Structures are given as structure tokens and as C-alpha cells.
Amino acid sequence: MTPPTTHRLPAAVALGGAVLVGVLTAIQARINGQLGLHIGDGFVAAVVSFASGLAVLVVLSAVLPAGRRGVTALVLGIRARTIPWWMLGGGLAGALTVATQGLAVAVIGVSLFTVGVVAGQTLNGLVLDRIGYGPAGVVAVTMPRVAGGMLALVAVGISLQGGVLDRIPWWMLLLPFLAGVGIAWQQATNGRLRQRVGTPLTATFVNFLGGTIVLAIAAAVHVALVGPPAELPAAGWLYLGGVVGVAYIFLSAALVAHTGVLLLGLGVVVGQLGTAFAIDALWPADSGPGWVTELLMVLVAGTSVVIAAAPWWRRRTSPSSSSS
């Protein structure tokens, strides 16, 4: 499938935007992790986070002309079946990510959560680029890109040193990996939906609507089994996770056509790990790997992005180049 002609962002802007997505993702992870800790129920915390983001998107979609046009295009596309059902499923991955944040981040820390996400995101990003699933079409899996991906996995291996596996349940390490796999798919899917509806705002709205429905069902089942959670905390900042999520999913949907799935993911990794290191250094988690290990993870992951992005950067900044 040949993607439509798109105005290409400068390389520095595209990768800078990807890093910003990572910064926002790490901040959201800490917010949702603390909300889950205060409530005592990660599923309810995830619903609160997603529902707050959905409320913001409902208002923006009603007020902004681009939002109204996007919703109209979405409805018409669904009726005409030019928008297939699977393009509406990005919220499933978002639901898994936010639920994982609420269940695990307060225990394992933002850095350890992030490196699990890195592993899943890197591997699935390579696959999705190779098969041309993203809106940028088939993106060649060159040796620098593979080497960059492997270095990102080395960062994951570093994170598991120092007896981390002895202190943390295995499922708390598996869930971030699965969330990373889902995030790569979510970014590509939202990017394709954005092409169909003409605006990242509507793609983000669809993501939050589906995720809120799934999480509400999961939370209702969990509450029925274990009882209602503790009283909701009064601190207002604990409820900002959904707003932060709106910002980074919007940016991801807008940027993926300019970077491809893998390079978007690797740029996100730099922002995630750098911010995660700063957060965990100032606010350590119960079972984190320690600041020395976290700093080494950040350096290795940053090197992986430089290696993977360098050939792409040269092509995109060359005056004679018109495509990635």
C-alpha cells in the first residue's frame, strides 16, 4: 500500500517530538502509578485516568472545527466501511498500558517499567515497519536500525541486574513488555486512522473512547470480585494522567507518518528513560534497580537511537532528498 503524499517535518522536529512523547509517557506512568497506590486498585485508577482524558477530548472535539470534521469523517467512514473495525482498536493497547502503570509502577519504578516497554516496542516496531503496517508504508529494516534495536534490548538486560528478578513478581515485568508491543501497534494504527479522518484529534478520541469502555468493564469485574477501592485521594495532580495521555497519543498519531514506527518508538525511548531516571532519582520506587543501573540504561538506550536514526537523519536533511 502506497501512503499518500505528506508534508515531511524536518528531521530534528520529528525526532524531538518523539522524545517529547517519551517524556510525557514517563510522567503519566508515575502519576497513574501513584493514583493506583493511593486508591489501592490499579484497574479503578486506570479508568479514572482514561475517563478524564476522554472528557477533555469530548470537549475539544465539540469545540474545535477540526474535531467536528474528524468525527464526521469517522462516522461516514464507518458507515461506508472505508474505515475497517481494526482501526478503531488502538484503545485496547492504551488500556493495557494505563492498567499496567496503575498496577506496577509504584512498585517497580518508572525506569524498570520503561525498559520493559522498550523491549516490546522495539521488537514490534521492527516487525511493523518491515511489513508496512504503519502509515509511512514499508520502512527498510537496515543494519543500523537493527543494531539500534538490539542496543535498546541491551538496556533492558542491564535493568534486570542486581537481583531485580528476586524482588519483583514475574508478571510485573511481563506486563510492561506486552504494553510495549501494544504501544508500537497502537502508534501505527492511530497513524493510519489519522490519515482516514484527517486529524490526530479524532484518532486520539477513538483511542480514549475504546480504552475507557474496556477499562470500565475490567474495573467493574474487579470491584465485584474484591470489593470497592479505598477513598479517592484529594491531591489534584493525581488525576492529570488522562490529560497527559491525550497529549502524547495525539503527538504519536501525528508523528508516526514522518518517522516510521521503529524510529518513533526509539525517540520515545530516549524521552522515557531520561525522564524516568530523573523521576526515580528524586522519588525512588520500592523495588527499582538503583540510580547507577538506571543511568547506564539511559546511556545505552540513547546510543541505540543515535545509531538507528543517523542514516535516516542524513537522508531527511539532505537537500536532494524528498522521502525517508
Side-chain angles (χ1 to χ4, degrees):
M1 176 180 176
T2 302
T5 302
T6 304
H7 172 68
R8 293 288 185 176
L9 290 174
V13 174
L15 275 180
V19 172
L20 177 59
V21 170
V23 171
L24 295 174
T25 304
I27 292 173
Q28 186 203 43
R30 176 57 86 174
I31 293 173
N32 287 342
Q34 289 301 306
L35 180 61
L37 181 65
H38 282 75
I39 293 177
D41 190 323
F43 291 102
V44 174
V47 172
V48 171
S49 176
F50 245 70
S52 65
L54 178 62
V56 171
L57 287 165
V58 168
V59 173
L60 292 177
S61 296
V63 171
L64 298 179
R68 295 194 294 271
R69 288 194 301 270
V71 171
T72 300
L74 175 68
V75 173
L76 293 176
I78 293 174
R79 287 178 177 175
R81 298 185 179 181
T82 57
I83 296 178
W85 63 268
W86 53 264
M87 279 193 185
L88 309 177
L92 298 177
L96 175 61
T97 300
V98 174
T100 301
Q101 291 170 350
L103 290 166
V105 168
V107 177
I108 68 177
V110 183
S111 294
L112 200 52
F113 167 81
T114 300
V115 293
V117 170
V118 168
Q121 200 170 355
T122 300
L123 293 177
N124 204 25
L126 280 167
V127 172
L128 294 175
D129 276 347
R130 181 64 184 87
I131 65 177
Y133 180 80
V138 176
V139 180
V141 181
T142 61
M143 284 307 299
R145 289 164 62 83
V146 173
M150 292 304 100
L151 271 179
L153 295 182
V154 170
V156 175
I158 293 171
S159 74
L160 299 179
Q161 305 305 308
V164 168
L165 294 174
D166 297 329
R167 301 192 303 270
I168 298 174
W170 64 269
W171 61 267
M172 282 195 178
L173 300 175
L174 178 61
L175 281 179
F177 174 81
L178 296 177
V181 171
I183 286 171
W185 175 80
Q186 177 192 41
Q187 290 168 341
T189 301
N190 285 347
R192 294 186 70 168
L193 179 60
R194 180 254 183 189
Q195 288 183 332
R196 300 293 176 93
V197 299
T199 171
L201 179 60
T202 302
T204 308
F205 169 75
V206 170
N207 186 95
F208 270 78
L209 178 61
T212 300
I213 293 172
V214 171
L215 287 171
I217 294 171
V221 171
H222 190 251
V223 168
L225 292 175
V226 305
E231 184 178 354
L232 294 177
W237 67 270
L238 291 171
Y239 301 96
L240 295 177
V243 177
V244 176
V246 168
Y248 80 69
I249 293 175
F250 178 94
L251 284 172
S252 296
L255 289 169
V256 69
H258 301 272
T259 62
V261 181
L262 178 63
L263 283 174
L264 175 63
L266 290 175
V268 169
V269 166
V270 172
Q272 279 179 306
L273 285 177
T275 306
F277 172 72
I279 291 174
D280 285 345
L282 296 172
W283 192 356
D286 294 339
S287 300
W291 74 268
V292 175
T293 301
E294 291 176 5
L295 178 59
L296 185 57
M297 288 188 308
V298 171
L299 294 175
V300 172
T303 302
S304 77
V305 177
V306 171
I307 292 174
W312 173 83
W313 184 288
R314 288 195 297 269
R315 290 196 303 270
R316 292 289 302 279
T317 53
S318 171
S320 60
S321 176
S322 60
S323 62
S324 61

